[in-house]
């Protein structure tokens, strides 16, 4: 498959898979925000890109003109799109689909998981702490949310490698390769079908069982399509975003000794710093489909187009965040929308925050000195979730 043509006009022909965007999208967003707050491209079958905080919030809350039935912008738009409730649900179906998932991700439920996540972080660190360096993405950040989700789903932790494979195929390879997406979905359907059948014979108390035992608003069991779609959502959304956020935080700390030293001296500041990392390095961008003609920020938006709803760009808007391009780990006011806004605000926000907090706490306790390895390159993910996929670090004092 040939590579897309390089972008020469970001206002009228942007491409969120262009290598320059993948490497460092922030100057691109700053330029667009100043020149044209809502860009458009004919690539990916037509997409709008809002870059201001207000425009992103407005579109997120407007379920009349914008549908969530598709949430990934890619070169293919199957009809009907594969459901992954509640993220792909519109009102009124969305509310009940989300309510089913709220209890397992409530603060008290997440708190019970915290000791196990802390133990996982230390098990992972044990594997490389005596080495001179490591790829923190390959050996630490990706396994924390992956193993957390396997525990919540009640499946073997070794299956996490399968999950990582499917995430890569759906969110990166699949942007331009529909066959890769469909293959990954088929494999996931087969995997979860086996898990569901096993629980029919031997009932369990886990997330899969929660969905199997849930009822629709009319009191009927959820359809297999609903259960399967929700499980795919939990797997993909529950892993990649947290993995990316933890990695971006370590990437910043590796090259900012002053912040690292302050967090070690003042560990009580870590929760505040986590919120700033979420603002500055928000990992997730979501899609919406324009269903009815409307105007946002003076820009006419027409049906048949998608919207690339960039929460990361919104979080860098200087109209809302003073010194938006600076990472201020004790930032007092931080109305970031890294977890989205409106009815689709992330159901897993409490879990993600806990994973980030524990991952950074345990790393700084055991590896207070680390820096980027100049002989290796940081590689960032492509597409709708941004985070380091390769993060080579040198451990110990220089």
């Amino acid at each position: 498959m040939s590579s897309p043509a390089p972008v020469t006009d970001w206002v009228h022909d942007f491409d969120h898979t262009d290598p320059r965007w993948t490497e460092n999208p922030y100057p691109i967003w700053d330029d667009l925000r100043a020149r044209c707050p809502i860009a458009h491209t004919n690539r990916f079958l037509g997409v709008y890109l809002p870059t201001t905080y207000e425009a992103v919030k407005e579109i997120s809350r407007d379920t009349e003109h914008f549908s969530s039935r598709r949430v990934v912008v890619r070169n293919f738009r199957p009809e009907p799109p594969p459901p992954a409730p509640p993220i792909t649900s519109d009102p009124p179906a969305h509310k009940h689909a989300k309510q089913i998932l709220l209890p397992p991700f409530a603060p008290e439920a997440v708190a019970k998981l915290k000791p196990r996540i802390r133990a996982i972080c230390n098990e992972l660190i044990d594997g490389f702490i005596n080495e001179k360096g490591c790829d923190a993405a390959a050996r630490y950040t990706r396994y924390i949310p992956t193993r957390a989700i396997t525990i919540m789903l009640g499946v073997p932790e070794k299956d996490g490698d399968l999950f990582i494979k499917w995430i890569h195929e759906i969110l990166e390879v699949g942007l331009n390769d529909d066959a890769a997406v469909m293959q990954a979905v088929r494999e996931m359907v087969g995997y979860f079908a086996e898990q569901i059948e096993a629980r029919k014979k031997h009932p369990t108390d886990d997330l899969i069982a929660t969905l199997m035992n849930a009822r629709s608003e009319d009191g009927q069991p959820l359809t297999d399509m609903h259960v399967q779609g929700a499980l795919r959502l939990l797997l993909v959304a529950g892993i990649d975003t947290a993995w990316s956020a933890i990695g971006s935080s370590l990437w910043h700390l590796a090259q900012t000794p002053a912040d690292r030293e302050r967090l070690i001296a003042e560990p009580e500041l870590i929760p505040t710093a986590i919120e700033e990392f979420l603002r500055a390095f928000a990992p997730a961008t979501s899609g919406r489909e324009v269903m009815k003609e409307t105007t946002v920020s003076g820009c006419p938006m027409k049906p048949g187009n998608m919207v690339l709803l960039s929460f990361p760009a919104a979080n860098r808007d200087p109209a809302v965040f003073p010194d938006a391009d600076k990472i201020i780990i004790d930032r007092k006011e931080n109305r970031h929308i890294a977890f989205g806004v409106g009815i689709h605000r992330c159901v897993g926000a409490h879990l993600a925050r806990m994973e980030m907090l524990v991952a950074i706490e345990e790393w700084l306790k055991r590896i207070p000195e680390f820096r980027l390895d100049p002989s290796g390159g940081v590689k960032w993910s492509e597409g709708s979730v941004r985070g380091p996929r390769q993060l080579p670090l040198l451990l110990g004092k220089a």
Side-chain angles (χ1 to χ4, degrees), residues 71-129:
V71 292
V72 179
V73 171
R74 54 169 54 105
N75 268 319
F76 310 94
R77 296 188 193 164
E79 285 289 355
I87 198 172
T88 59
S89 305
D90 292 319
H94 168 270
K95 184 176 181 180
H96 185 70
K98 187 169 185 176
Q99 285 175 334
I100 292 170
L101 292 176
L102 290 177
F105 290 93
E108 56 271 21
V110 168
K112 293 177 182 177
L113 191 59
K114 192 173 184 179
R116 180 66 186 121
I117 301 306
R118 200 173 295 279
I120 287 169
C121 290
N122 280 287
E123 290 169 18
L124 293 168
I125 292 171
D126 286 343
F128 54 79
I129 192 169

Side-chain angles (χ1 to χ4, degrees), residues 137 141-143 145 167 171-172 236-252 277-278 281-284 355-356 379-382 384-389 391:
T141 64
R142 74 179 185 179
Y143 285 114
I167 289 167
L171 293 182
E172 295 193 69
V236 175
I239 293 175
D240 202 21
T241 51
W243 161 16
S244 297
I246 297 168
S248 296
S249 303
L250 286 178
W251 173 78
H252 170 75
F277 296 152
L278 282 166
F281 308 119
E355 291 170 341
M356 290 183 70
K379 181 181 178 181
W380 297 86
S381 55
E382 179 182 88
S384 57
V385 177
R386 186 172 193 268
R389 290 298 172 265
L391 184 58

Side-chain angles (χ1 to χ4, degrees), residues 15-18 21-22 25 29 44 72-73 170-173 175 240 283-286 308 312 380-387:
D15 182 346
H16 63 298
T17 68
D18 186 283
W21 177 300
T22 300
W29 297 338
F44 302 96
V72 179
V73 171
I170 290 173
L171 293 182
E172 295 193 69
V173 178
L175 292 173
D240 202 21
T285 294
S286 186
L308 197 63
W380 297 86
S381 55
E382 179 182 88
S384 57
V385 177
R386 186 172 193 268

Side-chain angles (χ1 to χ4, degrees), residues 20-57:
R20 287 165 293 172
W21 177 300
T22 300
E23 182 65 25
N24 184 13
Y26 305 111
I28 296 169
W29 297 338
D30 289 344
D31 179 58
L32 289 176
R33 200 182 295 111
R35 292 199 294 139
C36 177
I38 299 183
H40 183 267
T41 185
N42 288 322
R43 303 185 194 219
F44 302 96
L45 308 180
V47 188
Y48 296 101
L49 172 68
T51 54
T52 66
Y53 187 87
E54 287 306 317
V56 169
K57 282 181 65 176

Side-chain angles (χ1 to χ4, degrees), residues 59 62-67 289-295 303:
I59 294 168
D62 185 352
T63 58
E64 177 185 353
H65 296 94
F66 302 96
S67 172
E289 185 171 0
V290 186
M291 304 305 288
K292 297 180 182 178
E293 188 166 346
T294 188
T295 300

Side-chain angles (χ1 to χ4, degrees), residues 83-86 101 149 152-153 155 163 188-189 191-193 195-196 199 206-212 224-238:
L101 292 176
I149 286 294
M152 295 179 76
L153 292 174
V155 301
F163 300 170
M188 293 169 76
V189 167
Y191 175 86
F192 284 121
Q195 296 294 332
I196 290 167
R199 282 156 181 74
D206 52 39
L207 256 178
I208 296 177
T210 295
L211 286 162
M212 290 172 62
D224 289 347
M225 184 178 293
H226 185 129
V227 172
Q228 283 271 359
L231 288 170
R232 290 197 301 274
L233 165 65
L234 293 172
L235 190 155
V236 175

Side-chain angles (χ1 to χ4, degrees), residues 180-198:
V181 175
M182 293 299 103
Q183 179 61 29
V185 169
R186 283 193 293 272
E187 291 178 13
M188 293 169 76
V189 167
Y191 175 86
F192 284 121
E194 289 182 6
Q195 296 294 332
I196 290 167
E197 285 304 309

